[in-house]
Amino acid sequence: MITPPAESAGSEVVERAPGITAAAWGALGACLIAVFMQMLDLTIVNTALPSISEDIDAPGSAQVLVVTLYSLTFACSLMTAARIGDLVGRRRMFSSAIVAFVLASVWCGLAGGATELVVARGFQGVAAAAMSAQTIAIISHSFPKAKQPIAFGIYAAASGLAAVIGPMLGGVIIAMNPFGLGWHAIFLLNVPLGLIGFVLARRYLHVGRQATHERLDLVGVALSMAGTLLVIYPLAVGRENGWAPGYFVLLGVGVLVLTVFVVQQRWYARTGAIPLLRGELFRDRTFLIGAITTAVFFGMFAGFLFTVSVTAQDGLHFTAMRTGLTMAPFAVGAVIGAVGSPFVVARLGRRAATVGVGLFAIGITCVAATITPSDATVSLRELSGSVFLAGMGMGLLVSALPALMLSRVEEQTTGSASGIVPTIQQIGSAVGLAAISVLFFHQVGGATPESTERAGVVLAQRLTESGVPAGSHASAVDGFTECARRALTAPAPRLRADTCVGSSAVGAADLDAAGRQAAGQTFLGAFTLVLWVVAALSFATTVLTLWLPRASGSRA
């Protein structure tokens, strides 16, 4: 590993300080605000979709694009944004990206139609990528290697907190309706945050551009963006559209394009130029194992968060705010794990990643073992400890992993890593979410006949207790079970309190109770299966981290 050289920042030369300076903390503060806004806007919109749809008459396809286009443009732009940051300077790129993100957020907040909002979300995703692609390089430059776990721990805490509280914060904002802005406020919230981040970046960021004057590899840019888009798009929207054959064609073409991209990058590097993708990164075992761990873990985590939200809101009829509160112990645990990660890394070294994913695996296993689907409900108090443990493991892992991955990376490849790591996260999340959602909804459909039949038996008992004539039982129960079956086997399965009220002449309260039982048992059964799968993958990932090599001079 080479000694990090001084780096040019315009006309001045900035030396890496041996300790943590005030400028380092200020630069980290700008990165924290950036990642908070970036992750918040990834999740907060889901809560506001009903209000957005009602206000601007957004059809279902537009609602999907409001959510997915941000993720798509974000994922596709990361490697290119990291390389541009190398060429024009991190400070200039990061500051410009914050301004662009704030302007795109204002555009989203002022959008008067569905098409306008979708386009604005696309630009917002590009700006978010331009911010995100600089942060690893900024942190690794601003902090000496021995102190980087502290910075990455705090950074991961902010990222995890924003992802978890996004839906809850969205529910609070919609409910409070500040200044009568309604859903517009969730986007305009970024204006004051972005202004603070911009001031911090201009004041404390001193990361200049590379001394060499290289050109941007436009062929590599086109191949990387096209390949990433072709892979992630069908994974993001395929299930909602019944996995038509065309989506598998797009996915195959995307894999082919990314393969061509890797070959082209190797050829480009052999010409002496600097590629978007530095192949030598993956020749380092620490970075390679870290990359695999990142892809697998974020895939599991994306699927876990998705199924938690769907089960809570569509299966157990929780409000968005209550769903957020359900995950509050997870958020608290993630913050504690992230903040405490520097101390764990200092004591355990590479084993900190093993401990982190191991705690996550144990926590998820305990959650799966605690839930009884036949109860059609859950005890949040009984689950809180296990959820907290899983969150702490997650916070520890995602905080320790970046520093471990970069521990043996040379200075000149850090810029490439700054774009590759979040790209791996995004592709892993897309693949994991698609796979787990297919498993989840397949299980929902498979369990529906049994759960609706059980609910029908309970409904018949309730009707008897309510004094409904015996002759009306059969038609009422048959009408309910058929209605519930159709609702739970639909492409977007959902069984609300009033879904089957019109299916018979019996009381709404009896039908509501039966519907809650059918939905609760069905969704909890599918969710429990997902938890066991996530737990198994987590334990496998724990074993994988045992192959992380020791850092130089480390005992761990």
Side-chain angles (χ1 to χ4, degrees), residues 199-367:
V199 171
L200 288 174
R202 299 301 297 179
R203 174 68 178 84
Y204 294 109
L205 245 179
H206 303 297
V207 187
R209 63 185 180 184
Q210 291 183 339
T212 57
H213 298 283
E214 294 280 347
R215 291 184 178 181
L216 183 63
D217 175 18
L218 296 179
V219 175
V221 167
L223 288 173
S224 67
M225 295 184 73
T228 306
L229 176 64
L230 289 169
V231 167
I232 293 182
Y233 175 73
L235 293 175
V237 303
R239 191 194 65 80
E240 288 85 353
N241 294 280
W243 288 108
Y247 290 113
F248 293 101
V249 173
L250 288 177
L251 188 60
V253 172
V255 172
L256 178 61
V257 172
L258 288 179
T259 303
V260 173
F261 167 68
V262 172
V263 173
Q264 184 266 343
Q265 290 293 283
R266 289 179 178 177
W267 171 84
Y268 194 74
R270 284 197 293 268
T271 67
I274 299 177
L276 298 179
L277 181 67
R278 303 289 290 257
E280 60 265 36
L281 284 170
F282 295 94
R283 288 194 288 271
D284 177 71
R285 197 175 80 183
T286 302
F287 190 88
L288 177 60
I289 293 177
I292 297 172
T293 301
T294 297
V296 174
F297 182 81
F298 277 89
M300 294 186 302
F301 184 60
F304 168 69
L305 282 185
F306 173 76
T307 52
V308 165
S309 178
V310 172
T311 300
Q313 297 189 62
D314 293 339
L316 303 177
H317 302 126
F318 287 5
T319 63
M321 187 177 299
R322 189 180 179 191
T323 301
L325 291 174
T326 301
M327 292 299 291
F330 189 94
V332 173
V335 171
I336 292 175
V339 173
S341 67
F343 306 100
V344 180
V345 171
R347 188 170 184 84
L348 301 179
R350 61 192 173 130
R351 294 294 174 245
T354 304
V355 172
V357 70
L359 288 176
F360 180 82
I362 294 171
I364 295 298
T365 300
C366 292
V367 173

Side-chain angles (χ1 to χ4, degrees), residues 184-209:
H184 304 273
I186 68 172
F187 296 110
L188 299 179
L189 175 66
N190 292 323
V191 175
L193 292 175
L195 291 176
I196 296 172
F198 178 79
V199 171
L200 288 174
R202 299 301 297 179
R203 174 68 178 84
Y204 294 109
L205 245 179
H206 303 297
V207 187
R209 63 185 180 184

Side-chain angles (χ1 to χ4, degrees), residues 25 28 32 147-161 330-346 352 388 391-401:
W25 288 120
L28 178 61
L32 294 181
K147 305 295 183 181
Q148 285 177 14
I150 297 175
F152 282 118
I154 298 172
Y155 182 81
S159 175
L161 186 63
F330 189 94
V332 173
V335 171
I336 292 175
V339 173
S341 67
F343 306 100
V344 180
V345 171
F388 172 84
M392 188 165 63
M394 178 264 190
L396 175 57
L397 174 67
V398 301
S399 304
L401 203 53

Side-chain angles (χ1 to χ4, degrees), residues 375-556:
D375 292 343
T377 187
V378 294
S379 170
L380 300 184
R381 179 177 297 180
E382 291 180 3
L383 292 176
S384 59
S386 301
V387 172
F388 172 84
L389 185 64
M392 188 165 63
M394 178 264 190
L396 175 57
L397 174 67
V398 301
S399 304
L401 203 53
L404 292 173
M405 291 175 68
L406 297 176
S407 61
R408 308 193 326 174
V409 169
E410 296 183 343
E411 186 77 12
Q412 62 264 36
T413 58
T414 302
S416 180
S418 194
I420 292 172
V421 172
T423 301
I424 291 171
Q425 292 178 0
Q426 291 300 308
I427 293 178
S429 296
V431 173
L433 178 58
I436 288 178
S437 64
V438 167
L439 172 67
F440 178 79
F441 287 111
H442 176 76
Q443 184 67 16
V444 166
T448 292
E450 183 179 353
S451 62
T452 52
E453 184 178 347
R454 289 179 179 176
V457 173
V458 174
L459 175 61
Q461 294 173 350
R462 289 180 63 91
L463 294 178
T464 300
E465 295 170 358
S466 300
V468 176
S472 304
H473 285 192
S475 60
V477 171
D478 289 345
F480 163 79
T481 53
E482 177 60 24
C483 171
R485 186 193 61 77
R486 287 198 306 268
L488 292 175
T489 54
R494 180 175 300 176
L495 184 57
R496 294 301 189 192
D498 58 349
T499 300
C500 297
V501 168
S503 64
S504 71
V506 302
D510 295 325
L511 289 170
D512 179 30
R516 286 179 180 274
Q517 177 183 334
Q521 290 181 350
T522 302
F523 279 86
L524 282 176
F527 180 55
T528 303
L529 175 63
V530 166
L531 288 174
W532 286 117
V533 171
V534 169
L537 290 172
S538 299
F539 280 116
T541 308
T542 304
V543 175
L544 175 65
T545 61
L546 295 175
W547 271 267
L548 283 168
R550 294 180 181 180
S552 300
S554 173
R555 295 181 182 180

